[in-house]
Amino acid sequence: MLLKPWYDVLNMRKELCEGVSQDWLEFTVNIEKIRHGQALDEYRDPAQFFRATYLSHSLTRLAGNVMRRLLGDREHSAIFSISAPNGGGKSHALLLLHHLVKFGSEAVKWAGVPGLFAQAGVATLPAARLAAFVGTTFDSSKRRGGKRGEPVRKTPWGELAFQLGGNDAFALVAEDDGLMRAPSKETLQRLLPSG
């Protein structure tokens, strides 16, 4: 059996076929832009994202581990190590988890997600609050916030606390954030929900 040429199998983007100049960074997954709703629809819209995503064995395994963990499975570590070279899919994997966790059981309506649930052996998934820290977009010297009633955040811990619970959660780490130090384990335990 002869294989078809790639150009008979793949549909190239219209911009490429027409030779329109592109900012190639536009096609990279940027979690910070996703969080602010400023990314391409292919990434921001979960239905489009899952329709265009090949759910590899690794992505399926990672998603299953995270889903079971969110449902209370304490058998495995809550820390996941994703290692790949540039372009290897780390941000793509994080975006997949972002959409699954943000929408919980509503995600089953997207392409491939029922299979993720089945592979993980779960019937439901609670939606959870999300926080994302992108170190390349956060500058402690410039700080973040201070507008529209938001507290000024100087550290990753202050930023994550604010994303998780607004002003009330930030208040728990405000002193540490002001001194630009890591909060204690006890402070972090008060910040995170029990269990």
Side-chain angles (χ1 to χ4, degrees), residues 146-150 167:
K147 301 172 188 162
R148 300 178 302 278
E150 290 183 6
N167 290 339

Side-chain angles (χ1 to χ4, degrees), residues 118-169:
Q119 286 283 334
V122 301
T124 185
L125 182 66
R129 287 182 287 166
L130 294 171
F133 181 79
V134 180
T136 56
T137 62
F138 190 91
D139 184 345
S140 291
S141 66
K142 292 183 181 170
R143 298 167 170 76
R144 190 174 278 177
K147 301 172 188 162
R148 300 178 302 278
E150 290 183 6
V152 174
R153 283 111 47 211
K154 301 176 185 177
T155 67
W157 302 281
E159 177 63 18
L160 292 170
F162 180 73
Q163 287 181 35
L164 287 172
N167 290 339
D168 292 340

Side-chain angles (χ1 to χ4, degrees), residues 21 23 35-36 42 53 67 70 80 104 111 135 140 150 157 164-165 169 175-176 179 185 189-190:
S21 177
D23 175 4
R35 219 172 54 75
H36 294 293
E42 290 97 332
T53 295
M67 290 191 301
L70 286 172
F80 303 98
S140 291
E150 290 183 6
W157 302 281
L164 287 172
E175 181 181 346
D176 294 310
L179 295 171
K185 176 182 175 182
Q189 286 175 331
R190 286 197 320 270

Side-chain angles (χ1 to χ4, degrees), residues 56-163:
S56 67
H57 173 73
S58 296
L59 279 177
T60 300
R61 190 178 71 235
L62 175 65
N65 287 339
V66 170
M67 290 191 301
R68 286 188 296 275
R69 187 71 188 186
L70 286 172
L71 288 166
D73 178 356
R74 301 275 190 245
E75 187 175 323
H76 305 291
S77 173
I79 299 171
F80 303 98
S81 176
I82 303 173
S83 110
N86 283 345
K90 297 177 296 292
S91 295
H92 202 87
L94 291 173
L95 182 55
L96 179 137
L97 296 175
H98 167 89
H99 288 316
L100 280 177
V101 172
K102 182 176 180 182
F103 291 95
S105 291
E106 286 182 50
V108 296
K109 60 187 173 190
W110 303 319
V113 176
L116 290 177
F117 275 61
Q119 286 283 334
V122 301
T124 185
L125 182 66
R129 287 182 287 166
L130 294 171
F133 181 79
V134 180
T136 56
T137 62
F138 190 91
D139 184 345
S140 291
S141 66
K142 292 183 181 170
R143 298 167 170 76
R144 190 174 278 177
K147 301 172 188 162
R148 300 178 302 278
E150 290 183 6
V152 174
R153 283 111 47 211
K154 301 176 185 177
T155 67
W157 302 281
E159 177 63 18
L160 292 170
F162 180 73
Q163 287 181 35

